[in-house]
Amino acid sequence: MSELKDCPLQFHDFKSVDHLKVCPRYTAVLARSEDDGIGIEELDTLQLELETLLSSASRRLRVLEAETQILTDWQDKKGDRRFLKLGRDHELGAPPKHGKPKKQKLEGKAGHGPGPGPGRPKSKNLQPKIQEYEFTDDPIDVPRIPKNDAPNRFWASVEPYCADITSEEVRTLEELLKPPEDEAEHYKIPPLGKHYSQRWAQEDLLEEQKDGARAAAVADKKKGLMGPLTELDTKDVDALLKKSEAQHEQPEDGCPFGALTQRLLQALVENKPFSVPHTKSLESRIKEELIAQGLLESEDRPAEDSEDEVLAELRKRQAELKALSAHNRTKKHDLLRLAKEEVSRQELRQRVRMADNEVMDAFRKIMAARQKKRTPTKKEKDQAWKTLKERESILKLLDG
Amino acid sequence: MALVSADSRIAELLTELHQLIKQTQEERSRSEHNLVNIQKTHERMQTENKISPYYRTKLRGLYTTAKADAEAECNILRKALDKIAEIKSLLEERRIAAKIAGLYNDSEPPRKTMRRGVLMTLLQQSAMTLPLWIGKPGDKPPPLCGAIPASGDYVARPGDKVAARVKAVDGDEQWILAEVVSYSHATNKRHTLSRRRVIPLPQWKANPETDPEALFQKEQLVLALYPQTTCFYRALIHAPPQRPQDDYSVLFEDTSYADGYSPPLNVAQRYVVACKEPKKK
């Protein structure tokens, strides 16, 4: 129960127009029987009076509508289920002869009346929410239907694989086939540089020289006797080292011949009285002769290979590179060939499509002719046959 | 022959109108009962000083019934008014037919020899009986109701009253009351006017109680028919009508008065149109 002051209603005074006072002509006409009827001259006054009545009636209607709306809203706010139901019954039971605005209003009310009606939850709180929900759902719902674009995304991702080959792509392939300029470089075997032991020995010697030179320079600065020592340069050092090496290479005392020469001489000659000039070159010449005869195998490579791991590795890698490049090249050739074939097939397919269109046109013409209930002309028939045959020939080319 | 058949038709319509009016009163007395109930409920609710749910429901029911009744009443009243309009148009046709046929009705002498007083009465009557626009809830007043202007492509029909700007003999331009004989043809005074110079007069009165926006507001500049003349002059609205049958109260621009304006004069809704002239004549 709420207080009167809470009530939003206005308690209008719904008195109807007192026609006896306000509409005398109207009253007079009412009093007459049908035989007497209405005079033409009374029309104007009647019109005015009727307008007055109508205006008051429609004003009353508007006010009533406003008040009922207030009443409904008020009741809904309170969430009083019982009376919503009762109210609904009242509305639906109202007499059927309703004008348009009334009907719309009813439908509006019935719309959110049965909403909370069926499937009514037990708690009061849910009711206004449900009503709100129904109001706001409809305008938002329609544009919110999500577009299913999964197939679009799928086709977009597959597209690069199925697209036609363009001439640009063929050109790119051809360019790829050109052998790279730096290939030769990869196969070079750089010459053996100085062995590191030699290099380091050289460097050490140089260092000592410098130190000695500095010491001597400090000692003999005034005398200026640095000359011979400081002028020693790498060339001389090399010569010195080579001499010492050469000496090392000949462990045997006094025997000037190389190993092979010695063995040969031992085999062929009993005593070694003579000395032969150019022993070194003799040794190498004998070696060469023996190799040429096939008696001695060339010892170079295995010896070198077994000792030089870096070289071995380098050679291995170069072989791999060669094999791989050859493989790639063949593949690129194949790809180019296939691409060119596909391009020609694409052109054929394009022609098939155009032929399809022509066939469809001819078909449509014949159908139109048939609709108009006349037989198609010879020209149309010929054209249809021609387009069909064209299409077939192109298809044959394609499949062949 | 045509006149006789028109007469019988008019008689028919009058009978129908009579019936409609009787029906209206039946409806009204029926709904009277419900309205009385509502009144009683209101009183009871107010005396008890509390609103029980019982009362609320009851009130709702009563309101709903009253709404239905009011609608029914409106419908019948509208039908009756339509009937009256029908009869009137038939009468108008008959008048024109009679004029053409050369017969003069005693109560309506031809324009050329009409006396001023009679003309004025006619004008007044025409203003009074301009139909009142009573829209259903949710309806908006149409063009040519009160102050609502005509739509851009409106073509005046023969018989429509308009305000027309014509050149008088001495070269002055004046807005006069005129009746359209035919579109783009001469009026009675043999003026051929372009459409710009013709303003159609309203065909409905606007109801101040339901459609106040269709009325001219205070201080608006309008062309109004000077009382007892057939010429339109510039004027300012002094007060819009309060009730449907009331007139506008306007101040005419008049240099013979001190402040430039005449005292307030009453002009019917029918004879007030929007003023389009930019400068003073």
Side-chain angles (χ1 to χ4, degrees), chain A residues 2 4 11-13 16-17 19 26 29 32-34 44 47-48 51 55 58 62 75 91 99 102, chain B residues 18-19 22 25 28 32 39 42 49 51 53 60 67 71 88 125 129 131-132 134-135 209 245:
Chain A
S2 57
L4 189 63
F11 295 112
H12 285 272
D13 190 10
S16 66
V17 176
H19 60 94
Y26 175 77
V29 166
R32 281 187 230 153
S33 70
E34 286 232 4
D44 288 336
Q47 182 187 333
L48 288 174
E51 281 173 359
S55 131
S58 48
R62 271 179 233 252
Q75 277 192 326
E91 286 161 19
K102 175 73 171 156
Chain B
H18 201 161
Q19 282 169 344
K22 293 219 165 147
Q25 190 47 35
R28 296 184 71 242
E32 188 75 30
Q39 192 64 26
H42 280 181
N49 204 27
I51 321 286
R60 242 171 115 163
K67 267 204 299 193
E71 269 220 31
K88 276 193 167 172
Q125 231 189 355
T129 60
L132 181 66
I134 300 171
E209 290 154 357
Q245 319 300 337

Side-chain angles (χ1 to χ4, degrees), chain A residues 1-5 7 9 11-19 26 29-40 43-48 50-62 64-65 67-68 71-72 74-76 78 80 83-84 86-88 90-91 94-95 97-102 105 109, chain B residues 10 14-15 17-19 21-22 24-25 27-28 30-32 35 38-39 41-42 45-46 49-54 56-75 77-78 80-81 84 87-88 91 94 125 128-132 134-139 205 207 209-211 244-245:
Chain A
M1 309 274 206
S2 57
E3 296 294 320
L4 189 63
K5 58 181 190 300
C7 173
L9 295 173
F11 295 112
H12 285 272
D13 190 10
F14 288 123
K15 274 216 197 70
S16 66
V17 176
D18 188 359
H19 60 94
Y26 175 77
V29 166
L30 283 173
R32 281 187 230 153
S33 70
E34 286 232 4
D35 295 332
D36 287 341
I38 309 175
I40 296 178
L43 281 178
D44 288 336
T45 28
L46 264 180
Q47 182 187 333
L48 288 174
L50 286 174
E51 281 173 359
T52 321
L53 290 174
L54 181 58
S55 131
S56 94
S58 48
R59 209 168 355 120
R60 194 178 347 134
L61 182 61
R62 271 179 233 252
L64 275 171
E65 277 189 16
E67 291 284 291
T68 30
L71 207 50
T72 322
W74 194 33
Q75 277 192 326
D76 290 347
K78 292 203 123 217
D80 213 338
F83 298 101
L84 266 183
L86 278 173
R88 196 157 41 99
H90 268 287
E91 286 161 19
K97 51 165 178 167
H98 287 165
K100 255 196 224 152
K102 175 73 171 156
K105 203 115 181 63
K109 282 211 188 118
Chain B
I10 290 176
L14 283 171
T15 327
L17 181 63
H18 201 161
Q19 282 169 344
I21 293 184
K22 293 219 165 147
T24 317
Q25 190 47 35
E27 188 66 41
R28 296 184 71 242
R30 208 163 52 83
S31 44
E32 188 75 30
L35 293 175
I38 291 183
Q39 192 64 26
T41 318
H42 280 181
M45 283 168 87
Q46 274 157 335
N49 204 27
K50 56 179 184 285
I51 321 286
S52 67
Y54 162 73
R56 259 189 275 136
T57 330
K58 189 167 159 77
L59 207 57
R60 242 171 115 163
L62 287 174
Y63 279 175
T64 316
T65 329
K67 267 204 299 193
D69 289 340
E71 269 220 31
E73 191 180 324
C74 283
N75 281 345
L77 279 167
R78 273 183 218 276
L81 281 168
I84 292 185
I87 298 175
K88 276 193 167 172
L91 282 171
R94 200 176 68 162
Q125 231 189 355
M128 264 205 328
T129 60
L130 190 66
L132 181 66
I134 300 171
K136 299 193 192 153
D139 271 357
K205 284 197 279 231
N207 189 349
E209 290 154 357
T210 55
D211 307 300
Q245 319 300 337

